[in-house]
Amino acid sequence: MYSQNPVFIPGPTNMPEVVRKACDMPTIDHRSPAFARLFKPAVAGVKRVLKMGEGEVIILPSTGTGGWEAAISNTLSPGDTVLAARFGMFSHRWIDMCQRHGLKVQIIETPWGQGAPIAAIEAALKADKTGTIKAVLATHNETATGVRSDIAGIRRAMDAAGHDALLLVDGVSSIGSMPFDMAGWGVDIAVAGSQKGFMLPAGLAILGVSPKAIAAMDTATLPRTFFDFRDMLRSYAAGGYPYTPAVGLIAGLARAIEVLEDEGLDNVYARHHRLAEGVRRAVAAWGMTPCAVSPDLYSDTITAVVVPEGCNGTDLVKLAAEKYDVAFGVGLGEVAGKVFRIGHLGMLTDVMVLSGLAAAEMCMADLGWNIRLGSGVAAAQEYYRGSARAMALAAE
Ligand SMILES: *Cc1c(COP(=O)(O)O)cnc(C)c1O
């Protein structure tokens, strides 16, 4: 028997049946008009989800990490300086990648649990009188800590400093689940992956690229071939790819965006907020706290739950997998063992989330943690009952 339990990891996420079926298709020639017909709606849909203005969507056979590499290698040159805050495993890994590519990273060390430090970013940009900083890197949703940063605030800081750097944003665990406004926030490259908000298997890096970032390709000299946007854009103009695209995933992407838009993007975001709020009520009822240090930073896609002294979050994740066949996320890096993570993004409902909370409680009880079975579930139930009613009334 294979389990039909939903997963509560922050990606890959649960897949709607229609999206799975859309990925499952017969072979087609990727140089045929049939491919172009399938590709165009996917690109147009991504533009709407990102709220892009002018610019291009690039869809690479890769993952979010490849999207980071594509973003930096197409716009920067060896020795260039980039500015980045480090406040979790994902912001750390992007910084590490930049260093391995021969970029200088001006790092603003920020405690894990906090978000991108806007004032420090503004100060660093103001101090950069000669325009040494070529790009500001921002992790919109730090999946390790469950912290959402204020990208509009970073844009305001860049404008206040009158700085011309590119703004490159990792939206891998936010795009498609939380509001994203590429044009409004002046984002030059937004990076997403297929297996999070888009509810697909891993295998695509999905990027929105602004005209300014496209112009930067002409002078950027970091080595790139597979990820070179110039090859992609030349082939796009002819309706295809410079190599073999992941056709089934692209078909799935177009279908996934239909699913999101049938619900309505604003409703999708409101649902994620509700699901997250229910999880947070449960966490509070357990006497625990999110790793994110203040409510304005709470992520609506992932909650990293700080476990009590003497408890180990990784034990819970292991037990949940072994005994109940339920997947949660372990703590990463600095917070390994200190948190466990509940992913609540993608195809999820109130009822599914309640099952995850119930499974987490069983594990806590099994491990001898000091919680009462049903306490968190009840808190979430009360919240979901109330807010579901409010939603139904609003729809009337
Ligand atoms: C998952 C994730 C990534 C990495 O994406 P992969 O698809 O695993 O390569 C990068 N950034 C964030 C914020 C993520 O959540």
Side-chain angles (χ1 to χ4, degrees):
M1 191 196 99
Y2 77 95
S3 163
Q4 300 224 0
N5 290 337
V7 294
F8 298 96
I9 46 176
T13 62
N14 303 292
M15 292 179 62
E17 209 54 33
V18 290
V19 174
R20 280 174 63 179
K21 285 184 175 149
C23 295
D24 180 2
M25 57 178 286
T27 305
I28 63 163
D29 175 6
H30 59 281
R31 308 214 183 272
S32 69
F35 176 71
R37 277 199 295 279
L38 180 148
F39 186 51
K40 275 199 185 121
V43 168
V46 170
K47 282 193 177 169
R48 292 192 298 274
V49 173
L50 293 178
K51 285 202 172 181
M52 268 181 83
E54 297 293 300
E56 299 282 349
V57 167
I58 306 272
I59 302 175
L60 302 162
S62 185
T63 70
T65 306
W68 287 343
E69 184 160 336
I72 60 172
S73 64
N74 278 282
T75 55
L76 298 165
S77 302
D80 277 356
T81 299
V82 302
L83 178 68
R86 173 155 53 199
F87 48 86
M89 202 60 187
F90 292 89
S91 41
H92 164 70
R93 284 189 188 146
W94 202 7
I95 287 169
D96 175 60
M97 174 187 276
C98 288
Q99 291 169 330
R100 290 205 240 168
H101 275 73
L103 298 170
K104 294 195 192 94
V105 189
Q106 190 173 327
I107 303 172
I108 306 175
E109 297 291 354
T110 307
W112 288 36
Q114 294 187 11
I118 311 278
I121 291 171
E122 184 171 331
L125 292 171
K126 279 187 172 154
D128 179 34
K129 303 271 184 247
T130 53
T132 310
I133 296 168
K134 298 297 178 209
V136 176
L137 269 47
T139 304
H140 185 205
N141 189 69
E142 175 50 80
T143 317
T145 55
V147 164
R148 177 186 39 192
S149 286
D150 177 8
I151 304 300
I154 296 179
R155 167 47 65 196
R156 280 196 297 276
M158 294 174 73
D159 291 347
H163 204 289
D164 193 37
L166 294 164
L167 176 56
L168 310 182
V169 176
D170 172 353
V172 178
S173 62
S174 56
I175 289 167
S177 312
M178 295 195 286
F180 197 90
D181 187 359
M182 186 166 169
W185 299 341
V187 173
D188 289 300
I189 299 189
V191 180
S194 49
Q195 80 276 25
K196 299 193 179 173
F198 288 112
M199 308 174 289
L200 288 160
L204 298 177
I206 301 161
L207 297 100
V209 187
S210 76
K212 183 171 163 185
I214 290 170
M217 295 184 314
D218 293 335
T219 50
T221 59
L222 273 179
R224 58 193 189 273
T225 45
F226 186 74
F227 287 148
D228 199 323
F229 291 166
R230 291 168 300 187
D231 294 333
M232 288 293 284
L233 294 175
R234 264 195 298 275
S235 300
Y236 272 17
Y241 263 64
Y243 40 70
T244 317
V247 176
L249 287 176
I250 291 169
L253 177 60
R255 190 71 185 92
I257 293 168
E258 272 177 23
V259 169
L260 292 172
E261 291 185 328
D262 281 350
E263 183 177 353
L265 285 173
D266 288 340
N267 295 332
V268 170
Y269 304 147
R271 173 169 55 83
H272 280 83
H273 180 71
R274 263 164 38 74
L275 295 175
E277 189 55 32
V279 170
R280 293 189 282 260
R281 302 281 171 114
V283 170
W286 295 331
M288 299 179 201
T289 52
C291 182
V293 294
S294 59
D296 57 308
L297 299 173
Y298 289 166
S299 163
D300 284 341
T301 59
I302 170 94
T303 301
V305 183
V306 180
V307 301
E309 279 294 319
C311 299
N312 186 323
T314 304
D315 292 345
L316 181 146
V317 176
K318 275 192 191 147
L319 186 66
E322 284 163 10
K323 186 167 175 189
Y324 301 110
D325 209 354
V326 171
F328 296 105
V330 294
L332 302 171
E334 262 184 37
V335 292
K338 295 180 187 158
V339 305
F340 76 97
R341 295 178 302 147
I342 305 176
H344 33 77
L345 73 163
M347 188 200 64
L348 279 178
T349 63
D350 301 355
V351 172
M352 290 160 90
V353 170
L354 288 172
S355 76
L357 297 172
E361 289 184 351
M362 289 194 284
C363 295
M364 292 176 195
D366 293 345
L367 291 165
W369 297 9
N370 182 24
I371 66 118
R372 191 164 43 77
L373 279 180
S375 56
V377 171
Q381 284 171 319
E382 287 299 348
Y383 175 73
Y384 291 149
R385 287 173 64 222
S387 57
R389 175 82 185 134
M391 277 184 78
L393 284 173
E396 274 164 17

